[in-house]
Amino acid sequence: MSDKAELHYNGNVYQLPIIEGTQNEKALDISRLRGESGLITLDKGFKNTGSTESAITFLNGEEGILKYRGYSIEELADKSSFVEVSYLLIYGELPTAEQLKSFQAEITNHTLVHEDVKSILDGFPSKSHPMGVLSSLVSSLTAFYPMSLDPNRSASEVNGTIIRLLAKLPTLAAWSYKNRMRQPVVYPKNSLDYCSNFLRMMFALPTEEYQINPVVAKALDKLLILHADHEQNCSASTVRIVGSSHASLYTSVSAGIAALWGPLHGGANQAVIEMLENIRRDGGDVEKYVSRAKDKSDSFRLMGFGHRVYKNFDPRATIIKKAADDVLKELGVDDPVLDIAKTLEEIALNDEYFVARGLYPNVDFYSGIIYRALGIPTDMFTVMFAIGRLPGWIAQWKEMRENNEPIGRPRQVYTGYTSRDYVTIDKR
Ligand code: ACO
């Protein structure tokens, strides 16, 4: 097979090299196309454009495969821990027992945030969405660690920022919730594991002892693993593109949190529960909402359905669906919204509209149900996603910097006016 494709244009022939990945997926390298032919490519929403070569995460949307650094998501979700998966994503290999111990110890040593962060937090109105607060607080870390502004410093200094982010994000996330509730913040407790520490900072009150439920902590850990990376999605691409201007890692991750917030991306988990609640309040007529989702004159979409790359099933949704059943059973929670979700899934999966378009439940369809069972409030769902996605963002940023990638700067096809004469305001 040829390792080049040919483009015939205007009587000329241009050779486009074929790049092949380790899983045999192929790409046309068009990086010299404009210089040679004057043509650019147009691909709105980058639906068919590779922005980079990456060795972090592989996914095959047709076959429903997801792997981090070559390890299947099913195996990692079953056997690993979130901290271990974070190490794998960021440094490329599973840690030895010794490496994991010291990685965990380093993270634990940095969980506290500077006391002045509390004054920033106090400035937010109580109705602030925790995602906005989290993005701002992460960006504010540049003020406390000014050295981090230069991402070209030594690898060990950059690593300090990586550790601080992993350590402090759960603290900042829990504090953004405490701010919303107008409750006193809870300081981290370093004898606890990553998820238990977060749960305590979220839910402990000064009035009583907080008991960590190991079932809840374990379920949360699994959810974080499932969210840890997803190659060049909207927020990861944002992190890479912001970082490509040599902005700091804190700033890049803050931008990633903002990108994740939207309901077409991470915000879908909040939108799913709100949609299911609406259906329930409206009498539970699932068919009505499926019809609305199919009606092109109605902007309503079934939240938690459809994915840019998964067109058969989302492997994370399969794991989460089972985990949701297990967690609800173990915690003895009977959530009517789960029945609505199951009916909705059944109807949609058998409906020609959804089948023809390859619309299947995505990771967010069931994650909200587990978060609810774990006692996480709805507007914190996307924050949970952000905690999970952090190691992926870091790994993507680090890879982009280590490969010395150029600044991200797409081109466009201009469709505006060509040239107009300026008219003074009194003559318009
Ligand atoms: N409900 C109803 N119809 C849908 C849905 C949906 N949830 N999703 C896509 N469609 C339809 C579109 O109307 C379109 O139909 P058409 O071909 O007749 O015009 C077709 O399916 C393709 O949809 P696009 O929007 O072109 O697909 P795209 O890949 O751009 O969008 C997306 C993917 C954003 C995830 C979309 O499916 C969606 O909006 N889903 C709901 C939001 C959601 O769950 N987001 C979470 C994604 S997972 C994550 O980010 C972690």
Side-chain angles (χ1 to χ4, degrees), residues 44-45 47 227 230 233-235 260 262-269 271-272 289-290 292-296 299-311 314 316 353-354 356-365 385 389:
K44 289 183 192 174
K47 290 196 177 198
H227 285 91
H230 212 233
N233 55 82
C234 176
S235 56
L260 187 74
L264 297 192
H265 189 16
N269 54 16
V272 168
Y289 284 86
V290 172
R292 282 190 61 193
K294 295 185 327 189
D295 180 356
K296 292 289 169 204
S299 62
F300 175 77
R301 280 189 166 199
L302 279 191
M303 299 314 287
F305 268 78
H307 197 277
R308 173 56 63 78
V309 285
Y310 293 123
K311 301 297 177 195
D314 179 340
R316 303 165 302 171
Y353 173 96
F354 291 89
R357 288 168 180 76
L359 300 171
Y360 291 82
N362 58 47
V363 66
D364 288 325
F365 191 66
F385 193 157
R389 186 52 58 85

Side-chain angles (χ1 to χ4, degrees), residues 35-201:
E36 292 176 357
S37 69
L39 290 170
I40 61 162
T41 53
L42 179 63
D43 180 19
K44 289 183 192 174
F46 312 121
K47 290 196 177 198
N48 201 41
T49 294
S51 59
T52 192
E53 292 168 271
S54 178
I56 303 169
T57 291
F58 172 73
L59 72 84
N60 178 326
E62 284 70 37
E63 291 173 32
I65 297 170
L66 174 61
K67 292 180 183 180
Y68 299 157
R69 303 280 188 188
Y71 296 97
S72 83
I73 190 66
E74 289 80 4
E75 223 179 343
L76 291 171
D78 192 34
K79 300 182 183 153
S80 188
S81 72
F82 177 64
V83 172
E84 190 181 359
V85 166
S86 300
Y87 186 101
L88 170 70
L89 284 167
I90 296 169
Y91 304 110
E93 298 294 336
L94 282 172
T96 60
E98 198 53 42
Q99 285 167 330
L100 182 60
K101 207 170 143 209
S102 87
F103 184 56
Q104 235 150 2
E106 276 188 278
I107 293 175
T108 304
N109 280 339
H110 288 89
T111 49
L112 208 55
V113 295
H114 196 290
E115 202 56 15
D116 287 350
V117 169
K118 273 182 18 198
S119 355
I120 304 176
L121 192 67
D122 284 344
F124 284 98
S126 66
K127 290 208 164 38
S128 311
H129 194 289
M131 279 298 272
V133 177
L134 188 65
S135 173
S136 309
L137 292 183
V138 168
S139 189
S140 81
L141 291 178
T142 52
F144 298 96
Y145 305 99
M147 307 269 256
S148 69
L149 286 173
D150 178 5
N152 298 312
R153 297 181 79 93
S154 69
S156 76
E157 280 177 279
V158 171
N159 199 50
T161 304
I162 291 175
I163 296 292
R164 281 197 185 92
L165 260 173
L166 289 166
K168 294 182 198 309
L169 198 74
T171 311
L172 297 175
W175 284 17
S176 70
Y177 170 66
K178 288 292 188 196
N179 170 65
R180 180 145 179 43
M181 301 300 286
R182 283 296 187 249
Q183 288 174 3
V185 300
V186 176
Y187 289 95
K189 189 169 177 180
N190 286 350
S191 57
L192 297 174
D193 63 73
Y194 200 80
C195 287
S196 302
N197 187 34
F198 171 74
L199 288 166
R200 186 179 157 276
M201 288 190 287

